[in-house]
Amino acid sequence: MGIVKKMKSALISVFHKDGLEAIVKKLNDLDITIYSTGGTEKFIMDLGIDVVPVEDLTSYPSILGGRVKTLHPKVFGGILSRRDHDGDIAQLNEYEIPEIDIVIVDLYPFEKTVASDASEQEIIEKIDIGGISLIRAAAKNFKDVICVSNMQQYDEFLNILSENDGEISLTDRKNFATKAFAVSSHYDTAIFKYLNQDFNHVEFRESFDQSSTLRYGENPHQKGFFFGKLDELFEKLHGKELSYNNLLDVDAAVQLMNEFKTDAPTFAILKHNNACGIAQRETLHQAYVDALAGDPVSAFGGVLISNKKIDVATAKEIHKLFCEVVIAPAYEEEALKILKGKKNRIILIQNDIELPKASFRTALNGVLSQEKDTITDDKSMLKQATNIHPTDAEVEDLLFASKICKHTKSNTIVLAKNKQLFASGTGQTSRIDALKQAIEKANHFDFNLKGAVMASDAFFPFPDSVEIAGLAGITSVIQPGGSIKDQLSIDYCDAHNISMVFTGTRHFKH
């Protein structure tokens, strides 16, 4: 517990008043002197509770349109004074500065203001100065002061205050100080990221103020956590908690399906971050059936995602498969009942929110960060490489395959036909191996590759890939181009009636 200290005074300056009433009444019951200012002061007065205006303490009014209210030595001296330091106590007495034992702050909602598309001036005005200063001062002096730094801490603080009749232990004061510096660092990071949207300053700053403890990490012997507001992206309707590996697969599924967000009904099945099946059809039911046909073996235990509302016919088919997660923008009521038939199956509604524009990962003794690959190959980007042109249907298939290729681990080759994934070679150390793996897999599931297309995430350094593909029945190829030996592949395609287009964009994924 540490040293227990009786609280005698409190300074309250909050933006959100929700939940504050019970704390104010408890402070009053415990005869704790309350100081406040502005809207918080009025809120307390309206409760019929005595409150000392900060202006009476400092002998200065709130100035500059409220920008300066608590920034004064009589406020910060009372917070920062060391109660066991004779010099500090002497100065408090000399300048008639009261000790302040409790500081309760809830900062201006900077992030919400940014998200609301407010003007720059409105956003700048929501950068809290006095509040953040109070938080840092009170947290620094946790030996004598407790700092409540946001409204999410109100209930915990009220319980401590009530259970101990206004006496608070050093352990609790230090715990709240730790939370306070987490609040202040997150707040400053949000401001920096807003001002640095163009990445003019190459500094790595990331902060998440919500976290979830997972059952374990990638393996049972590893601890795992998720940092972020997952409930903003998903509404969970059913099932067990998402695991570390579930979240990786869900992320891969969401990123892939974003490519088909506004397209015709599209269904994808993913396993270990790669699509093992995906198809686009006139009905969602047929899209699912054909996606499953791509690899019904790997689909077992996979993550399923749709770009359209899941109907009853589709739900009945899904229910036959053991799958970990189902994601869709919506579900028909009866379809949801069917899917809930497996108690552990995780069912999510995906909300339409903007995803981060950058990605990062630990590497060696630091962090790698990059812009996300936001380029999606389309018709306007295609450069005809061969004398033979792809048909309109082949162009549609080439772009379909290219989208899948972009979200498959390198080295990868994707084979598709009639907007259905036939097979892919994933994560191979050579492009030839990826192609051979894809062909073998397509043949295993009895797909006829004659007239199918091939997508590659990077250029072909030699013509051997297009030769093998042509012998397997591939009639059209999409690739970035850029090899010094591109002409060898072009010549082979022209000689064997294979069309090929270049995109000029590589899509490695490691």
Side-chain angles (χ1 to χ4, degrees), residues 43 71 253 277 317-318 341 353 361 364:
F43 174 84
L71 294 167
E317 290 296 330
I318 292 172
I353 67 168
R361 64 201 293 185
L364 302 175

Coordinates of all heavy atoms in Angstrom, one line a residue, residues 43 71 253 277 317-318 341 353 361 364:
F43 N -20.7 24.0 -13.0 CA -21.3 22.7 -12.8 C -21.4 22.4 -11.3 O -22.4 21.9 -10.8 CB -20.5 21.7 -13.5 CG -20.9 20.2 -13.3 CD1 -22.0 19.7 -14.1 CD2 -20.3 19.4 -12.4 CE1 -22.4 18.4 -13.8 CE2 -20.7 18.1 -12.2 CZ -21.7 17.6 -12.9
L71 N -2.8 28.5 -15.2 CA -1.4 28.7 -15.3 C -0.9 29.8 -14.4 O -0.7 30.9 -14.8 CB -1.0 28.9 -16.8 CG -1.3 27.8 -17.7 CD1 -1.2 28.2 -19.2 CD2 -0.4 26.6 -17.5
A253 N -7.8 -10.1 -44.4 CA -9.1 -10.2 -45.0 C -9.7 -8.8 -45.3 O -10.2 -8.6 -46.4 CB -10.0 -11.0 -44.2
G277 N -9.2 -18.8 -51.3 CA -10.3 -18.8 -52.2 C -10.9 -17.4 -52.3 O -11.1 -16.7 -51.3
E317 N -24.7 -22.5 -46.5 CA -23.4 -23.1 -47.1 C -22.3 -22.9 -46.1 O -21.5 -23.8 -45.9 CB -23.1 -22.4 -48.4 CG -24.1 -22.8 -49.6 CD -24.0 -24.3 -49.9 OE1 -23.0 -24.9 -49.7 OE2 -25.1 -24.8 -50.3
I318 N -22.1 -21.6 -45.6 CA -21.0 -21.4 -44.7 C -21.1 -22.3 -43.4 O -20.1 -22.8 -42.9 CB -21.1 -19.9 -44.2 CG1 -20.8 -18.9 -45.4 CG2 -20.1 -19.6 -43.0 CD1 -21.0 -17.5 -45.1
G341 N -25.2 -20.9 -35.0 CA -25.3 -22.3 -34.6 C -24.1 -22.9 -34.0 O -24.1 -24.0 -33.4
I353 N -15.1 2.6 -41.8 CA -14.2 3.6 -41.3 C -12.9 3.7 -42.1 O -12.5 2.7 -42.7 CB -13.9 3.4 -39.8 CG1 -13.0 2.2 -39.5 CG2 -15.2 3.3 -39.0 CD1 -12.5 2.1 -38.1
R361 N 6.4 -2.0 -38.2 CA 6.7 -3.3 -37.6 C 8.1 -3.2 -36.9 O 8.9 -2.4 -37.4 CB 6.6 -4.4 -38.6 CG 7.7 -4.3 -39.6 CD 7.4 -5.1 -40.9 NE 7.5 -6.5 -40.7 CZ 7.3 -7.4 -41.7 NH1 7.1 -6.9 -43.0 NH2 7.4 -8.7 -41.5
L364 N 15.0 -5.6 -36.1 CA 16.2 -5.4 -35.4 C 16.0 -4.6 -34.1 O 15.2 -5.0 -33.3 CB 17.3 -4.8 -36.3 CG 17.5 -5.5 -37.6 CD1 18.4 -4.8 -38.5 CD2 18.0 -6.9 -37.3

